[in-house]
Amino acid sequence: MTNQVVAYLQENREKLLEKLYTYLRIPSISTDSTYKEDVAKTAGFTADYLKEIGFDKVTIQETERHPIVTGEWLGAGPDKPTALFYGHYDVQPADPLPLWDSEPFEPTERNGRIYARGVSDDKGQVFMHLAVFEAFMKTEGALPINVKVCIEGEEEIGSTNLHAVLHEQTEQFQADFAIISDSGMVESGQPTMLYGLKGAAALEFSVYGPDRDLHSGMYGGAVRNPLQALAHILSSLKDEEEVVQVEGFYDGVEELPEEERKLMAQAPGEDFVQTVGVPEAVSEKGYTAKEHTMARPTLEINGMYGGYQGEGTKTIIPAEATAKITSRLVPGQDPVDIVEKITAHIEKYAPAGVRVEVRPEPFKAKAYKVDPNHPLIQKAAESLTQAFGKETVFVRMGGSIPVVEWIDTVYQMPVVLLGFGTPEDRLHSPNESFPLESFDKGMETLVYYYQKVSE
Amino acid sequence: MTNQVVAYLQENREKLLEKLYTYLRIPSISTDSTYKEDVAKTAGFTADYLKEIGFDKVTIQETERHPIVTGEWLGAGPDKPTALFYGHYDVQPADPLPLWDSEPFEPTERNGRIYARGVSDDKGQVFMHLAVFEAFMKTEGALPINVKVCIEGEEEIGSTNLHAVLHEQTEQFQADFAIISDSGMVESGQPTMLYGLKGAAALEFSVYGPDRDLHSGMYGGAVRNPLQALAHILSSLKDEEEVVQVEGFYDGVEELPEEERKLMAQAPGEDFVQTVGVPEAVSEKGYTAKEHTMARPTLEINGMYGGYQGEGTKTIIPAEATAKITSRLVPGQDPVDIVEKITAHIEKYAPAGVRVEVRPEPFKAKAYKVDPNHPLIQKAAESLTQAFGKETVFVRMGGSIPVVEWIDTVYQMPVVLLGFGTPEDRLHSPNESFPLESFDKGMETLVYYYQKVSE
């Protein structure tokens, strides 16, 4: 039986791609105020498309920086579920420009991919939802379910204004579930159901010793070297089996259910020796690298510095040393609590002769996880399998998407993460791209999904 | 009984100071080729003064960079000992200039001190010897002993050309002992006999993990973090009691003789909490901070870096991390051997999942020590006590003076380190200065010393 909505998308493919390219041509770089008007123009384009499709109450809601585009179509009636679709129309800067093989804001097709800034993250994936809504309206005159839309322009700069709006305009965004396409698949062509994200906690700390850099010949042997003290503290954070030694770090973390371990084992694994060039992969004792990256908390030093960094030798004992740490959290861990525990550990392990100062960083989020057996997730997986013609794998991810935590916390509704990016997309880097296969099969997936959820 | 040589110095003090100031006004900055002519001019001034005094064979020996001034006066005859006087006429750069309270190359007297670049390190102290030689010649028509002179212009840039000259022209510099005034006293006005210097060994090493910086959310839990590995290795180098854990590090190090411990205990100690602002001093288990800095080997991290060093958070696992290490050695330790032992330790403690690379640095020297009871040392101490009117203390020093090791190794003669600087002299920093008391009493010391050695 031909699906007429899918057929519409196929028949209108060229026209839709052309429209997507127009969307991608506007450089909606949110971090750089030079592009403020382009960001506004992109919001306008988004709103116009929603109106054209037939959405109601389409609004460009101004904020202190970049607007949020909202709208709704509630024509499916109260018997049908309501989805909140979230996405973002802003993009990362394109520099360094010389590293692009084609213009970042002139979409170009080659090797079965579209090359353009924002094509994967996230304008391309936002556009796919809108195109699917268009297809439903053009063919069936209605969407299968009620849809509320929230598309922001500040995701790449921290979603500050969205945070306030989501917490204040709760009635406007209330729905039965949220759907977001701002993530990816484990590998190109492999349909992937993402059912969990990690949270995050961050801090930096400094070790202070003498009040100035000292001559290491004159003072070596009389004062504690802040670099030595820093190394001592950092070394104490994890053992050689990658088990975090901070007291209480694993409190509240649930054992990984056997069922999930099976799901993860089925997902394609990365051969880290090949993909990132390490001599060998290492992971927490008792867990595979896949399990550790997806579903176990981590603690990483992201940066560290102190003393002389130039060429050759400078014989000093430096006055101070600093390290930056982030921790990725799983359900059961609270970022504020984790920062406190790491702080206590640092203070406990600081040796005599130095002073430590810990500074929590604002980057923090709770983990998100939905039951992989939840009907909304199972239906998404079925839609993926149907469109891609391949069994869907279930994964959790080590990254954090703050908006997911906010929706989870404020609205207590499941968030369906249906992303079509691939590991080769080069998000935030030169030559960002998105496979045409993801464009086609991704839209097909969304058609099936909105239909299935309506049943 | 009046010492007529000392009297000459007192009577001609103003004239001598004026001559010193002329010497100091020439900016003999060896590292900066802009000053090449000034360096040459300073060599010329030095040579002219030697000729004026009555030295023979005064030569400005050209090298690939800056010349070495040599000369000799052997009129005391074969029955008297011969001293090799070494010093350097080059100076450190003066920047940052705004931090000087008076012009670096316009000597200014205030608070009982002469302020000028090079006044303590080392032009001022070189000048004192020359002035003493002048005083002997003018009053007695002869020096009390034979003297060979070697004054170089590359000490502040590693003495590369002197190294070759000292190793090749051995006949020219052969003597019974060497005398150097390029060091200081433990505190202003406290006569100090320096009878030992530490050696040095240096290396840097890097830890390599993934072939690029990775997203810490995506890869945290699968790869070893090079910063964590670096911290682990560094932490293993010393225990919390400052005992170096490198296998064989203390091999060949003699126990500190009880007599020396007594000598060191008599030297004024620094209150590190006051002088360098540390919460408390720390030193090797079983040794005081004074003993450790003076006479026990040390190992210090001089610099360390890797990953993100900017503001805020960047969630990466960096590709690499680097640390720089120097070790200060005592007699019985060999710098090449120590670098090998530290290298073996680093390789042994490198955890799985990373690769380490150790790069030895050229900075290396063996320790130097002379028996504090050696007559040449005892006479120096007596001369100091006589001039300063205060009991001389005996110390060893944590720093290294490479030329001392070369003279010791090539010529196997004792090196008498008679320095008159003070801890407040700010060598290499803005506002370098030298006490007028050191100028006066230092020259007096040298008069007594050259006389005593002649007996």
Side-chain angles (χ1 to χ4, degrees), chain A residues 66-88:
Chain A
H66 300 305
I68 298 166
V69 179
T70 58
E72 60 184 40
W73 186 89
L74 305 180
D79 295 342
K80 295 290 182 184
T82 301
L84 170 66
F85 167 63
Y86 162 86
H88 65 94

Side-chain angles (χ1 to χ4, degrees), chain A residues 108-255:
Chain A
T108 311
E109 288 177 31
R110 58 179 186 274
N111 315 318
R113 287 182 164 264
I114 309 161
Y115 287 82
R117 169 59 83 228
V119 65
S120 178
D121 178 19
D122 180 40
K123 274 155 99 178
Q125 301 203 60
V126 164
F127 184 88
M128 287 160 67
H129 281 263
L130 304 192
V132 166
F133 297 149
E134 174 191 323
F136 274 112
M137 295 298 265
K138 292 277 186 186
T139 52
E140 303 185 341
L143 303 183
I145 60 170
N146 303 299
V147 174
K148 292 177 172 183
V149 166
C150 173
I151 304 170
E152 68 155 327
E154 296 183 346
E155 198 272 346
E156 301 295 0
I157 51 172
S159 304
T160 317
N161 287 304
L162 180 75
H163 181 270
V165 164
L166 276 185
H167 284 71
E168 285 156 20
Q169 300 167 214
T170 48
E171 203 178 332
Q172 181 178 350
F173 298 119
Q174 195 60 62
D176 297 301
F177 70 99
I179 181 165
I180 301 178
S181 296
D182 192 17
S183 53
M185 311 187 289
V186 291
E187 52 183 46
S188 198
Q190 171 58 60
T192 304
M193 192 64 238
L194 177 60
Y195 69 97
L197 297 168
K198 284 187 185 168
L203 59 85
E204 65 167 32
F205 74 99
S206 296
V207 177
Y208 300 100
D211 56 16
R212 59 189 181 275
D213 291 356
L214 299 179
H215 189 295
S216 68
M218 299 300 184
Y219 290 94
V223 303
R224 184 80 70 186
N225 186 321
L227 291 171
Q228 188 73 40
L230 186 83
H232 176 74
I233 295 167
L234 292 174
S235 179
S236 73
L237 289 169
K238 280 204 270 190
D239 69 11
E240 272 207 69
E241 299 186 299
E242 294 286 318
V243 179
V244 175
Q245 302 294 305
V246 173
E247 201 180 323
F249 183 78
Y250 295 102
D251 287 358
V253 174
E254 64 167 3
E255 251 316 299

Side-chain angles (χ1 to χ4, degrees), chain A residues 6-66:
Chain A
V6 172
Y8 176 91
L9 291 168
Q10 286 162 350
E11 283 155 20
N12 291 278
R13 186 173 186 266
E14 289 315 304
K15 197 199 74 179
L16 289 169
L17 276 175
E18 203 35 66
K19 185 160 190 151
L20 167 62
Y21 295 167
T22 307
Y23 197 33
L24 293 170
R25 281 188 192 106
I26 324 172
S28 50
I29 303 169
S30 50
T31 196
D32 185 344
S33 55
T34 320
Y35 295 92
K36 195 167 170 52
E37 274 186 42
D38 290 303
V39 175
K41 208 170 138 190
T42 315
F45 184 105
T46 312
D48 288 345
Y49 195 6
L50 285 170
K51 285 180 201 159
E52 198 184 307
I53 294 163
F55 271 79
D56 300 318
K57 296 187 186 170
V58 175
T59 310
I60 297 175
Q61 183 171 337
E62 296 299 333
T63 73
E64 278 176 23
R65 196 144 176 204
H66 300 305

Side-chain angles (χ1 to χ4, degrees), chain A residues 71 92 109 124 158 202 256 324-325 342 416 436 449:
Chain A
Q92 282 276 319
E109 288 177 31
L256 198 54
K324 289 169 178 284
I325 290 174
I342 298 172
V416 179
L436 281 160
Y449 187 57

Side-chain angles (χ1 to χ4, degrees), chain A residues 240 242 277-282, chain B residues 205-210 223-230 232-233 317-321 346-347 349-357:
Chain A
E240 272 207 69
E242 294 286 318
V278 289
E280 63 183 278
V282 295
Chain B
F205 74 99
S206 296
V207 177
Y208 300 100
V223 303
R224 185 80 71 186
N225 186 320
L227 291 170
Q228 188 73 41
L230 186 83
H232 176 73
I233 295 167
I317 296 172
E320 59 182 90
I346 290 167
E347 285 166 356
Y349 280 82
V354 294
R355 188 171 63 75
V356 294
E357 184 185 282

Side-chain angles (χ1 to χ4, degrees), chain A residues 198 202-204 208-212 214-242 270 272 274-284 288-290 292-294 296 298-318 321 324-326 328 349-355 361-363 397-400, chain B residues 198 202-204 208-212 214-242 270 272 274-284 288-290 292-294 296 298-318 321 324-326 328 349-355 361-363 397-400:
Chain A
K198 284 187 185 168
L203 59 85
E204 65 167 32
Y208 300 100
D211 56 16
R212 59 189 181 275
L214 299 179
H215 189 295
S216 68
M218 299 300 184
Y219 290 94
V223 303
R224 184 80 70 186
N225 186 321
L227 291 171
Q228 188 73 40
L230 186 83
H232 176 74
I233 295 167
L234 292 174
S235 179
S236 73
L237 289 169
K238 280 204 270 190
D239 69 11
E240 272 207 69
E241 299 186 299
E242 294 286 318
E270 197 171 332
F272 297 100
Q274 290 298 322
T275 56
V276 301
V278 289
E280 63 183 278
V282 295
S283 57
E284 184 186 349
T288 65
K290 216 150 55 169
H292 194 183
T293 51
M294 286 189 193
R296 293 286 301 173
T298 62
L299 188 156
E300 297 294 344
I301 313 168
N302 308 116
M304 167 160 101
Y305 55 96
Y308 181 62
Q309 305 194 6
E311 207 183 316
T313 302
K314 189 175 181 190
T315 52
I316 54 165
I317 297 172
K324 289 169 178 284
I325 290 174
T326 50
R328 298 286 177 166
Y349 280 82
V354 294
R355 187 170 63 75
E361 289 281 350
F363 178 60
M397 196 178 79
S400 313
Chain B
K198 284 187 186 169
L203 59 86
E204 66 167 32
Y208 300 100
D211 56 18
R212 59 190 181 276
L214 300 178
H215 188 295
S216 68
M218 298 301 183
Y219 289 95
V223 303
R224 185 80 71 186
N225 186 320
L227 291 170
Q228 188 73 41
L230 186 83
H232 176 73
I233 295 167
L234 292 173
S235 179
S236 72
L237 289 168
K238 281 204 269 190
D239 69 10
E240 272 206 69
E241 298 185 301
E242 295 286 320
E270 197 172 332
F272 298 100
Q274 289 298 323
T275 57
V276 302
V278 290
E280 64 183 277
V282 296
S283 58
E284 184 186 348
T288 65
K290 217 152 52 170
H292 194 183
T293 51
M294 285 189 193
R296 292 287 300 172
T298 62
L299 188 156
E300 297 294 345
I301 313 167
N302 308 117
M304 169 161 100
Y305 56 95
Y308 181 63
Q309 305 194 7
E311 207 183 315
T313 302
K314 189 176 181 189
T315 51
I316 54 165
I317 296 172
K324 289 168 178 285
I325 290 174
T326 50
R328 298 287 176 165
Y349 280 82
V354 294
R355 188 171 63 75
E361 289 281 350
F363 179 60
M397 197 178 78
S400 314

